[in-house]
């Protein structure tokens, strides 16, 4: 996602999340605050979480010798 669009998306998500908190303080109906929270949090956290998930690197498997050296001798 492009940097300006990412910032706008996160800003909108934060404002929705903030509005849900204000709604809880002012006694808005539970469904309205829940919907605001559920809409705002993925917008606020989602883009960076998806980008981090896409950029992850797979770990190569460890050899049997490397794994077994941590076990006691009687275990192997």
């Amino acid at each position: 996602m492009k940097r300006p669009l990412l910032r706008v998306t996160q800003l909108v998500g934060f404002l929705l999340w903030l509005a849900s908190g204000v709604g809880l303080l002012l006694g808005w109906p539970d469904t309205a605050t829940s919907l605001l929270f559920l809409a705002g949090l993925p917008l606020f956290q989602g883009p960076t979480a998806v980008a981090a998930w896409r950029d992850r690197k797979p770990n190569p498997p460890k050899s049997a010798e490397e794994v077994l050296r941590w076990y006691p001798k009687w275990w192997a």
Side-chain angles (χ1 to χ4, degrees):
M1 192 178 275
K2 302 237 184 241
R3 192 56 71 177
L5 184 60
L6 175 70
R7 295 293 175 218
V8 169
T9 304
Q10 286 182 329
L11 179 66
V12 168
F14 179 73
L15 290 176
L16 287 172
W17 180 72
L18 194 63
S20 71
V22 170
L24 285 173
L25 288 174
L26 296 179
W28 294 353
D30 291 339
T31 55
T33 55
S34 297
L35 289 175
L36 284 172
F37 181 77
L38 290 175
L41 202 58
L43 286 175
F44 183 55
Q45 292 291 336
T48 53
V50 169
W53 182 76
R54 284 183 183 163
D55 292 340
R56 74 189 192 288
K57 304 276 189 259
N59 294 333
K62 295 182 180 180
S63 66
E65 292 82 17
E66 188 177 348
V67 172
L68 288 176
R69 75 174 188 198
W70 295 107
Y71 287 101
K73 297 294 181 198
W74 58 266
W75 187 271

